Amino acid sequence: MRQRGKGASLKPNSISSATNQESSGGEGENSSRDKNVALIAKRSSYVVFALFVLVIYGSWGVYHYQFESLPAPLAFEHVGKRGFSEHEAMKHVEALAQLGPHPVGSDALERAVKYVTEAAEVIKKTAHWEVNVEVDRFHVKSGANIMVGGLFKGKSLVYSDLNHVVLRITPKYVSEAEERAILVSSHIDTVFAGEGAGDCSSCVAVMLELARGVSQWAHGFKNAVIFLFNTGEEEGLNGAHSFVTQHPWSDTVKVAVDLEAMGIGGKSSIFQAGPNPWAIENFAAVAKYPSAQIVAQDIFSSGAIKSATDFQVYKEVAGLSGLDFAYVDYTAVYHTKNDKLELLQPGSLQHLGENMLAFLLRAAASPSLPENKAVESNEENAIYFDILGTYMVTFRQRLANMLYNSIIMQSLLLWTTSLLMGGSSAVISLALGCLSLVLMWIFSISFSVAAAFVLTIISSSPVPYVSYPWLALSLFGAPALLGAFTGQHVGYIILKSYLASTFAERRRNLPANLRTTLAKLDAERWIFKSGLVQWFVLLMLGNYYKIGSSYLALAWLASPAFAYGFLEATLSPTRLPKPLKTATILIGMSVPLLLSSGMVIRLSATIIGTSIRFVRNPGSSPDWLGNVILAVFIAAVVCLMLVYLLSYIHISGAKVPLVVATSSLLVLSLVAVWGGVVPPFTEDIARGVNVVHVVDATRVNGGDLELVSYISMFSTTPGNLIKEADHIGEGFTCGRDRYSDFVTFSVNYSCWTDKGAGTGWLKSDIPSIHVAKDTKGENRETQIIMDTTIATRWSLAINTGEIEDFQLKDADSDELIPLGEKSSVDGWHTIQFSGGRKAPTKFHLSLFWSGNSTRTTTAGDAQLLRLRTDVDRLTPPMETILRKLPPWCSLFGKSTSPNTLAFLSSLPVSF
């Protein structure tokens, strides 16, 4: 009778008879019987197919439950005056969104600040009678944010005439509570391109509803709660900086919580916490719907995401610890026209509100807030993650070190023992197994990157998957999987050949066909074990560099190793190999997939969404670069997460179906892109563009006022603009013939037109840079008078190759930037100024030349100062062009972007 084992077919005594013979040491008496032993190393393709379906649908299920399952929005009647109601919070979002874009300096922002102030006053009037609620409309005359880390290297961010709303809630009969406060912060202002329903009217609305609820609880508090509704965040975190450096309540803050958005709606997740673990540990203890991943913190702090939040100010300038939340769904609409109310998913505000209310009630009632403003050692840093958005795990780095070191030492001991017992053949087998890993990575990345280059050639847009992110999985995931399997299978064939020759030498008593089969089975097991080596190396690296997300490497190492050890492994080198059990794959991958699959899908969607704003200097990078980065990322995910499953395919009948399926999926996807079946952008997921009326005075020579004026259109999204220019008309020419230096960035590729460019502005609007005094000599000093005329938003670049130091004052001689060491990037230090309607427009700049300057008397075109002023005005040609802008396009705003009218000026070194 034939008996079928799990995943493979074999005759009943095939393995046992050979094993018993080896154990007894007999080779003669059983040789004739061994010749009749048959072993078939063949696994059903249906089993492999079922495993793939289980992994795919299981991963999607984890993602859906972890990130898309939102609580039901609650009305005021359901929660009472002490609870959080999304229905009430949505009234605030609607009111702020109706104002349209409200950037710094706009009338709309004044109305938004007025609305928040009035809402805060209502909270004050309706608070519990034993609770003090103070509302302070905080006006900031001026200040300068001179941080040197991350995006702020080489910059000074100057602000003026900002208005914030600060609301403090304290228990009436606990006077000492005013000396210890928890800060909750977000920003009212938006970029000029969108109404900001997500970024960050949703955050402001949550804070107002939280303040209403907290005002009914605070009579039992031991600490104060401060809500900061700031402005100026979009211009460089200026609101947070002005609060921590100038507001009298800032000295009482012990913990800071920042609410942000890098998209609109969904679950608001913690993506930064610490340095002190107090806040994240207390949040984990009470959060009803926890959503937090230290993986996001590792990525954000690495600089891979070119962004910053107010939390950076609280941490670096004020030395505070706390939490940083962000909405990241629909990240492609970030800072565009589609950051709108219609895309805000029901339940988003309820999710954040209930989590925050629970945390604030616990933190404000705590008898001890963290007093030390910095953690002395990273041993106390917290490692945190949630499981299915239901449970949250936190532990300190100290415990992680002990756990990781223990697993590393045990792994080394087991591997060393196994290799010593297995001898040289085991060492060579392991080395060849690791070779299969290397080939898997090489082939997977190569196939996926090749698809990225093909995509750039055949598609009208280099990023055709932005509006349909799942298309990216077939465009890059299919070739990555095909390449990973191909590379690993090549390594498997090499390893199988070596093992076949080993069995031929050491087990001559076995039939040739049995030795071949045993080589296949042994090769399969070594391929599986090489996957353990991959994660073992990653765990060692993560442990050495104290990377918080190393817990994932632990899960992907320990769980499969346990499954293999429990179901498969033996330290006896005399036993012959058996087929891997299906249960080994299921048990080994279940826990790692539970911890990582949802997070990987969310991260992939975020990366795809950021393609809208991938290009920082239009035309400076090739169109294929973003695709290659995404292709490498997806290939890495495939190689890391499917390494064990791929090892299960080599002796199965699923090899050809896998190749056919992945190839067909790739071809169909490419055909769909080539045929335009899937549009790269839609009205709701629009391409990011900037259209600017430029008045360029940098070419003015002496008293010659031959100005250059044109309309420039460029994009933060990869790809040319020919289709968009044809749609608009208006005489646009596209190419690289017109280079534009916008001070904070440069444009190498754009479309431009001169049609009507001479209208809508006056010569008196052009900023001036006047040399008032130039004292030459060993310590050369130059006094500059700068007039930005009608602009209260401008950027000035100073050549640090010529200038050693500088000082900036306004017309009233108030010092804005003091003398002192300043950082630079590529030989320039940039001042970014933004302010309200009463901000100054005349400035005194003192330049102190470097003793190494070599160009103080030389003629040439080198610039000493480069200035751009921004005016929020639509000129007649701009109105026409924006009216004709395709629906699949949207203006894109950020702190370095010019407004719709920009003036360029400069001062040469040899003035």
Side-chain angles (χ1 to χ4, degrees):
M1 182 178 70
R2 180 177 294 273
Q3 180 182 6
R4 184 177 296 275
K6 277 195 175 181
S9 53
L10 61 154
K11 290 194 174 180
N13 63 345
S14 57
I15 297 294
S16 59
S17 61
T19 303
N20 292 337
Q21 176 187 334
E22 290 296 324
S23 301
S24 62
E27 293 187 5
E29 58 183 334
N30 294 322
S31 59
S32 60
R33 183 181 64 183
D34 289 338
K35 292 179 182 179
N36 298 320
V37 173
L39 176 62
I40 303 173
K42 182 79 171 177
R43 182 173 289 116
S44 171
S45 58
Y46 295 106
V47 175
V48 175
F49 175 75
L51 284 175
F52 267 99
V53 170
L54 189 61
V55 168
I56 293 171
Y57 278 90
S59 298
W60 167 249
V62 170
Y63 168 74
H64 176 76
Y65 197 87
Q66 187 171 10
F67 294 109
E68 293 193 331
S69 178
L70 292 168
L74 299 178
F76 181 80
E77 295 76 19
H78 297 136
V79 301
K81 59 184 181 180
R82 285 187 163 194
F84 184 93
S85 167
E86 177 171 311
H87 289 187
E88 295 300 306
M90 281 300 295
K91 296 176 182 178
H92 300 307
V93 181
E94 291 168 359
L96 292 170
Q98 286 174 0
L99 298 174
H102 35 280
V104 170
S106 66
D107 293 338
L109 181 58
E110 289 298 315
R111 292 193 292 271
V113 172
K114 181 182 178 183
Y115 174 85
V116 173
T117 304
E118 292 173 351
E121 292 290 350
V122 171
I123 294 170
K124 179 178 180 180
K125 292 177 182 178
T126 58
H128 191 278
W129 65 276
E130 292 184 288
V131 173
N132 278 331
V133 177
E134 303 166 80
V135 179
D136 178 25
R137 176 149 177 172
F138 178 46
H139 177 261
V140 180
K141 182 182 178 182
S142 63
N145 181 357
I146 311 177
M147 294 192 297
V148 296
L151 295 178
F152 300 97
K153 184 178 181 181
K155 291 183 179 180
S156 295
L157 305 175
V158 184
Y159 48 87
S160 178
D161 189 32
L162 298 182
N163 291 293
H164 317 313
V165 181
V166 191
L167 185 151
R168 181 167 69 172
I169 301 175
T170 56
K172 187 172 290 185
Y173 303 112
V174 185
S175 57
E176 62 269 21
E178 294 183 356
E179 302 304 316
R180 302 186 304 271
I182 299 109
L183 175 69
V184 184
S185 170
S186 192
H187 62 95
I188 306 173
D189 62 307
T190 71
V191 295
F192 71 90
E195 66 187 39
D199 185 20
C200 211
S201 295
S202 59
C203 311
V204 170
V206 167
M207 286 173 56
L208 286 171
E209 179 63 5
L210 281 173
R212 183 197 61 76
V214 168
S215 70
Q216 305 300 323
W217 286 93
H219 55 284
F221 287 178
K222 294 180 175 63
N223 309 295
V225 179
I226 297 174
F227 292 92
L228 169 63
F229 305 87
N230 69 65
T231 62
E233 191 273 348
E234 296 293 6
E235 297 296 340
L237 318 182
N238 296 331
H241 186 271
S242 62
F243 174 80
V244 300
T245 57
Q246 300 185 39
H247 198 281
W249 294 347
S250 64
D251 291 336
T252 68
V253 176
K254 306 300 180 184
V255 175
V257 179
D258 180 50
L259 306 184
E260 254 298 349
M262 201 173 73
I264 181 168
K267 287 190 175 182
S268 182
S269 302
I270 295 174
F271 69 103
Q272 291 190 96
N276 192 301
W278 184 92
I280 189 67
E281 289 173 350
N282 277 271
F283 176 85
V286 296
K288 189 175 182 180
Y289 312 106
S291 183
Q293 294 288 342
I294 197 172
V295 175
Q297 177 173 310
D298 288 340
I299 295 172
F300 196 82
S301 59
S302 71
I305 298 177
K306 305 297 182 183
S307 185
T309 70
D310 285 339
F311 190 71
Q312 183 174 346
V313 174
Y314 301 136
K315 187 166 64 172
E316 294 183 11
V317 178
L320 297 170
S321 293
L323 305 172
D324 202 2
F325 290 81
Y327 290 113
V328 296
D329 278 16
Y330 290 107
T331 190
V333 310
Y334 176 68
H335 284 189
T336 70
K337 67 178 183 181
N338 291 315
D339 186 1
K340 56 189 179 182
L341 192 62
E342 292 80 359
L343 294 182
L344 185 57
Q345 301 172 65
S348 301
L349 306 189
Q350 194 69 42
H351 173 264
L352 174 59
E354 290 199 47
N355 283 341
M356 276 298 301
L357 182 59
F359 170 74
L360 290 177
L361 294 182
R362 179 184 178 94
S366 173
S368 59
L369 296 180
E371 291 294 336
N372 55 322
K373 295 211 169 184
V375 178
E376 295 181 359
S377 170
N378 61 11
E379 296 291 310
E380 297 303 314
N381 288 346
I383 295 169
Y384 56 90
F385 55 91
D386 72 271
I387 301 175
L388 297 179
T390 305
Y391 306 100
M392 188 164 172
V393 178
T394 62
F395 52 95
R396 304 279 180 99
Q397 183 67 51
R398 187 186 306 277
L399 176 61
N401 292 342
M402 295 171 58
L403 181 61
Y404 299 162
N405 288 330
S406 173
I407 295 297
I408 289 171
M409 294 306 297
Q410 291 180 56
S411 299
L412 286 174
L413 178 62
L414 288 172
W415 276 107
T416 301
T417 303
S418 177
L419 293 176
L420 287 175
M421 295 183 67
S424 59
S425 63
V427 175
I428 296 173
S429 297
L430 178 61
L432 293 176
C434 292
L435 174 64
S436 74
L437 282 182
V438 175
L439 294 175
M440 174 184 71
W441 279 86
I442 293 174
F443 277 67
S444 182
I445 292 175
S446 299
F447 283 28
S448 190
V449 168
F453 282 108
V454 171
L455 187 63
T456 307
I457 296 172
I458 68 171
S459 175
S460 59
S461 169
V463 287
Y465 44 78
V466 172
S467 59
Y468 297 92
W470 290 106
L471 182 61
L473 295 184
S474 55
L475 288 171
F476 303 121
L481 178 59
L482 177 61
F485 172 71
T486 302
Q488 195 182 87
H489 193 66
V490 170
Y492 166 82
I493 293 173
I494 296 172
L495 177 57
K496 183 187 67 174
S497 300
Y498 168 75
L499 291 172
S501 63
T502 301
F503 279 119
E505 293 178 5
R506 298 187 177 183
R507 302 186 185 274
R508 296 187 181 92
N509 59 302
L510 297 178
N513 62 340
L514 180 59
R515 292 198 298 265
T516 301
T517 299
L518 291 174
K520 292 180 181 180
L521 296 177
D522 207 21
E524 176 186 63
R525 298 166 77 86
W526 279 110
I527 295 291
F528 183 93
K529 288 186 282 188
S530 67
L532 298 174
V533 174
Q534 170 179 262
W535 285 106
F536 174 74
V537 172
L538 290 176
L539 179 60
M540 286 199 300
L541 291 174
N543 185 49
Y544 179 80
Y545 290 105
K546 301 296 183 288
I547 299 173
S549 41
S550 298
Y551 77 91
L552 291 174
L554 175 68
W556 280 98
L557 171 64
S559 183
F562 169 79
Y564 186 87
F566 184 70
L567 298 173
E568 308 280 359
T570 173
L571 291 177
S572 172
T574 61
R575 294 190 180 181
L576 297 180
K578 301 177 183 179
L580 284 175
K581 297 179 176 65
T582 304
T584 303
I585 301 295
L586 290 174
I587 295 174
M589 293 184 65
S590 57
V591 172
L593 285 175
L594 180 69
L595 295 179
S596 59
S597 58
M599 178 268 300
V600 166
I601 294 174
R602 185 179 176 93
L603 180 58
S604 300
T606 302
I607 293 174
I608 292 169
T610 56
S611 300
I612 292 290
R613 52 189 181 276
F614 176 76
V615 181
R616 302 185 67 82
N617 296 287
S620 62
S621 56
D623 289 341
W624 48 258
L625 182 60
N627 283 342
V628 168
I629 293 173
L630 180 59
V632 170
F633 170 77
I634 291 178
V637 169
V638 168
C639 291
L640 289 171
M641 297 182 65
L642 297 182
V643 60
Y644 301 118
L645 182 56
L646 290 176
S647 69
Y648 196 72
I649 302 175
H650 302 295
I651 66 169
S652 75
K655 295 187 288 293
V656 173
L658 176 65
V659 172
V660 172
T662 52
S663 301
S664 300
L665 183 60
L666 174 61
V667 170
L668 288 174
S669 301
L670 291 174
V671 169
V673 170
W674 176 72
V677 175
V678 180
F681 311 105
T682 64
E683 191 167 353
D684 284 338
I685 306 295
R687 178 179 188 175
V689 299
N690 287 97
V691 184
V692 187
H693 192 156
V694 181
V695 180
D696 190 349
T698 59
R699 295 180 178 83
V700 173
N701 204 355
D704 187 3
L705 294 179
E706 293 182 2
L707 305 175
V708 177
S709 179
Y710 57 95
I711 313 295
S712 178
M713 180 171 65
F714 49 91
S715 179
T716 57
T717 309
N720 64 59
L721 289 163
I722 297 174
K723 182 179 179 181
E724 288 77 7
D726 291 341
H727 185 277
I728 296 172
E730 299 301 317
F732 271 104
T733 302
C734 298
R736 297 176 177 272
D737 298 333
R738 174 163 273 171
Y739 171 84
S740 298
D741 180 1
F742 285 99
V743 180
T744 54
F745 67 98
S746 60
V747 175
N748 293 278
Y749 173 85
S750 64
C751 298
W752 64 91
T753 179
D754 301 327
K755 185 177 179 180
T759 62
W761 57 273
L762 303 172
K763 286 186 178 181
S764 58
D765 298 335
I766 300 173
S768 63
I769 303 176
H770 173 66
V771 179
K773 183 180 179 181
D774 185 30
T775 305
K776 297 184 178 181
E778 185 176 349
N779 298 314
R780 185 178 180 184
E781 179 182 343
T782 302
Q783 298 294 327
I784 303 291
I785 296 177
M786 189 170 67
D787 186 356
T788 60
T789 64
I790 58 174
T792 58
R793 184 180 190 262
W794 50 266
S795 300
L796 177 72
I798 300 173
N799 187 338
T800 54
E802 305 292 336
I803 302 303
E804 184 176 355
D805 202 358
F806 64 87
Q807 181 186 49
L808 180 68
K809 296 181 179 180
D810 62 19
D812 296 330
S813 297
D814 292 335
E815 186 178 62
L816 300 177
I817 301 179
L819 292 171
E821 184 178 354
K822 299 174 180 70
S823 59
S824 65
V825 174
D826 297 329
W828 294 90
H829 184 93
T830 303
I831 302 172
Q832 288 182 219
F833 181 94
S834 63
R837 291 174 296 177
K838 297 179 181 178
T841 58
K842 293 182 174 60
F843 304 90
H844 298 283
L845 180 65
S846 300
L847 302 176
F848 299 89
W849 292 70
S850 170
N852 298 324
S853 175
T854 58
R855 308 179 71 170
T856 55
T857 58
T858 350
D861 59 356
Q863 302 295 325
L864 183 68
L865 303 175
R866 296 151 44 218
L867 174 66
R868 186 194 82 218
T869 59
D870 299 324
V871 181
D872 190 10
R873 179 200 299 171
L874 286 180
T875 60
M878 281 292 294
E879 289 181 342
T880 301
I881 291 170
L882 292 181
R883 190 169 58 249
K884 295 182 177 181
L885 195 67
W888 67 83
C889 291
S890 169
L891 295 181
F892 177 78
K894 58 181 179 179
S895 63
T896 56
S897 300
N899 282 343
T900 49
L901 176 59
F903 296 90
L904 305 178
S905 187
S906 64
L907 181 71
V909 171
S910 54
F911 56 81

